[in-house]
Amino acid sequence: MSFLVPFYSLFLFLSFICTYSAPFLLFQAFNWESWKTEGGWYNALSNSVPELASAGVTHVWLPQPAHSVSTQGYLPGRLYDLNSSSYGNQFDLKRLIKAFHQSGIKCVADIVINHRCAEKKDGRGIWCIFEGGTNDDRLDWGPHFICRDDVQYSDGTGNPDSGATYEPAPDIDHINPTVQRELSDWMNWLKNDIGFDGWRLDFARGYSPQITKLYMENTVPDFAVGEVWTSLSSGQDGKPNYNQDSHRNELADWVRNAGGVVTAFDFTTKGILQQAVLDELWRLKDSNGNPPGMIGILPQNAVTFIDNHDTGSTQNIWPFPSNKIMQGYTYILTHPGIPSVFYDHFFQWGLKEEILKLIAIRKRNGIGPTSRVRMLASDPDLYVAMVDEKIIMKIGSRYDVGNLVPQGFDIATSGQDYCVWEKKGAA
């Protein structure tokens, strides 16, 4: 039945193309501190479902749902145990997902499978005996299931790591067929029994993109996005280099090697954009006149964002300039790619109404992942672009845009150092 494989791959590819051509808005529905919420985060978030649906959100990214050694969820252990999560129990999670589904919103699980924390020590005194969280032996693994080059935990019998190393916890051997089968079964359980629709793949560079392709084919998610976070190249001044082709090509290559249907967070666009808004807006035009991030070469597979629980929130590892946030959202909500809105900015920073106006403009004008950008200005203090010949956006400290905005366009929204014009007669 090998003839079915190419047919299946084509079906999966076409289904994703159809999905991503439709209006699409991802919302990260938690931050680094959400686990502390009294009464449980799942229950608290349920109160926001109607508002997120009204905003036009199509997909919500929820926290890692299983038992974890770390309260935030990123050191998982008993993967089938959803009752030990700091965010709430399995019943509350299923009720939340049902509420989102009833409002037309799909739910994306944070999938942390590169590494895993053990339940107990082996005879050597090493933490490498894993418990799946069920009464049977599913996901009950020993040191053989750890990459052999993870010498801190492995017994040397596993396969070599196919990706980047992760120091805080054992690196799981994803070349092992049992690992592949049992993790696929677990993800399908999350989809079929719990109700999740898609995946956010944490530390996806920790295993090869071919492994990601296998999990995509085995679980057929409605949507999936990988976190492939590497540093941009920088000059001696510490600033990002103008040309980031190598960085964005690495993201695009990962997508292609993972089968071409998964998406990736566009870290290239984030890195360039947060430097550009510091009166260096010339960075937003590459040498070919296109957007300089992943959205300039593979926009339909690029998820753009301003900050997340790592880069912003209380971790603040790589934050967007706090007084330029709306310039950032003006860019990603008017440009190609799949935009993602962060919980903090929407609910905690007092930016909700401004963001809502930008979302409405995007939706009203049918701006999507593959929309066309025509740049009208890319000066240090002014960036102006026309998108799909329907809207014109401006960011930057320069107020006067001269004659760059033609007749027939009216201001749709504006704020500190940003403005969006809409062609008259827009639906």
Side-chain angles (χ1 to χ4, degrees), residues 137-199:
D137 63 356
R138 285 175 293 170
L139 297 174
D140 293 352
W141 300 340
H144 174 65
F145 294 83
I146 300 172
C147 298
R148 74 169 64 159
D149 34 11
D150 190 351
V151 295
Q152 182 179 355
Y153 302 101
S154 173
D155 63 359
T157 63
N159 292 293
D161 197 342
S162 63
T165 59
Y166 185 83
E167 296 295 338
D171 271 333
I172 298 303
D173 175 12
H174 288 272
I175 299 176
N176 186 308
T178 300
V179 169
Q180 296 175 359
R181 183 182 68 255
E182 293 195 357
L183 285 179
S184 296
D185 288 346
W186 172 69
M187 292 164 71
N188 279 321
W189 174 76
L190 288 177
K191 188 173 74 167
N192 298 326
D193 287 56
I194 306 303
F196 281 107
D197 304 283
W199 322 127

Side-chain angles (χ1 to χ4, degrees), residues 2 17 26 31 70 92 102 122 128 160-161 180 198 227 235 254 282 311 329 386 392 409 417:
S2 60
I17 290 296
L26 179 65
N31 60 32
S70 63
D92 294 337
Q102 289 175 338
D122 68 357
C128 61
D161 197 342
Q180 296 175 359
E227 180 200 33
W254 179 86
W282 47 269
T311 66
Y329 277 112
M386 180 179 287
I392 298 173
F409 283 82
D417 295 334

Side-chain angles (χ1 to χ4, degrees), residues 309-362:
H309 63 290
D310 286 324
T311 66
S313 190
T314 53
Q315 290 202 92
N316 243 24
I317 294 173
W318 194 41
F320 204 91
S322 60
N323 61 339
K324 311 285 187 181
I325 296 294
M326 283 310 303
Q327 289 191 58
Y329 277 112
T330 300
Y331 184 88
I332 70 169
L333 288 171
T334 59
H335 276 57
I338 299 169
S340 179
V341 175
F342 185 35
Y343 180 91
D344 291 19
H345 298 152
F346 192 81
F347 284 114
Q348 297 181 344
W349 284 48
L351 303 175
K352 181 191 301 182
E353 296 307 317
E354 294 180 83
I355 294 174
L356 283 172
K357 290 177 183 178
L358 291 170
I359 294 173
I361 292 169
R362 183 180 185 86

Side-chain angles (χ1 to χ4, degrees), residues 109-334:
D110 206 326
I111 299 294
V112 185
I113 54 175
N114 168 72
H115 51 272
R116 189 178 173 201
C117 289
E119 189 78 10
K120 56 186 178 181
K121 298 179 182 180
D122 68 357
R124 303 170 298 160
I126 303 296
W127 290 93
C128 61
I129 304 299
F130 303 91
E131 164 60 43
T134 67
N135 293 325
D136 53 40
D137 63 356
R138 285 175 293 170
L139 297 174
D140 293 352
W141 300 340
H144 174 65
F145 294 83
I146 300 172
C147 298
R148 74 169 64 159
D149 34 11
D150 190 351
V151 295
Q152 182 179 355
Y153 302 101
S154 173
D155 63 359
T157 63
N159 292 293
D161 197 342
S162 63
T165 59
Y166 185 83
E167 296 295 338
D171 271 333
I172 298 303
D173 175 12
H174 288 272
I175 299 176
N176 186 308
T178 300
V179 169
Q180 296 175 359
R181 183 182 68 255
E182 293 195 357
L183 285 179
S184 296
D185 288 346
W186 172 69
M187 292 164 71
N188 279 321
W189 174 76
L190 288 177
K191 188 173 74 167
N192 298 326
D193 287 56
I194 306 303
F196 281 107
D197 304 283
W199 322 127
R200 179 262 181 186
L201 302 172
D202 178 74
F203 199 69
R205 65 189 186 91
Y207 42 91
S208 75
Q210 288 76 19
I211 296 296
T212 297
K213 180 182 179 182
L214 180 146
Y215 290 131
M216 290 288 292
E217 291 175 347
N218 287 351
T219 64
V220 196
D222 169 82
F223 167 76
V225 56
E227 180 200 33
V228 184
W229 184 1
T230 59
S231 298
L232 277 68
S233 64
S234 300
Q236 293 183 343
D237 59 0
K239 295 181 179 181
N241 291 324
Y242 164 70
N243 188 324
Q244 295 294 336
D245 286 352
S246 176
H247 191 271
R248 64 176 176 177
N249 285 334
E250 181 181 359
L251 291 174
D253 287 344
W254 179 86
V255 165
R256 296 186 184 105
N257 290 329
V261 293
V262 67
T263 68
F265 285 111
D266 191 350
F267 283 95
T268 317
T269 288
K270 173 178 166 57
I272 294 172
L273 182 59
Q274 66 186 34
Q275 186 64 44
V277 295
L278 302 176
D279 282 337
E280 299 178 17
L281 292 166
W282 47 269
R283 293 177 176 273
L284 296 181
K285 183 178 183 179
D286 73 7
S287 59
N288 295 315
N290 297 317
M294 186 182 175
I295 61 170
I297 57 172
L298 198 64
Q300 65 271 25
N301 294 85
V303 176
T304 53
F305 68 106
I306 303 304
D307 269 322
N308 60 32
H309 63 290
D310 286 324
T311 66
S313 190
T314 53
Q315 290 202 92
N316 243 24
I317 294 173
W318 194 41
F320 204 91
S322 60
N323 61 339
K324 311 285 187 181
I325 296 294
M326 283 310 303
Q327 289 191 58
Y329 277 112
T330 300
Y331 184 88
I332 70 169
L333 288 171
T334 59

Side-chain angles (χ1 to χ4, degrees), residues 377-388:
S378 56
D379 301 328
D381 59 352
L382 179 68
Y383 173 82
V384 182
M386 180 179 287
V387 183
D388 285 347

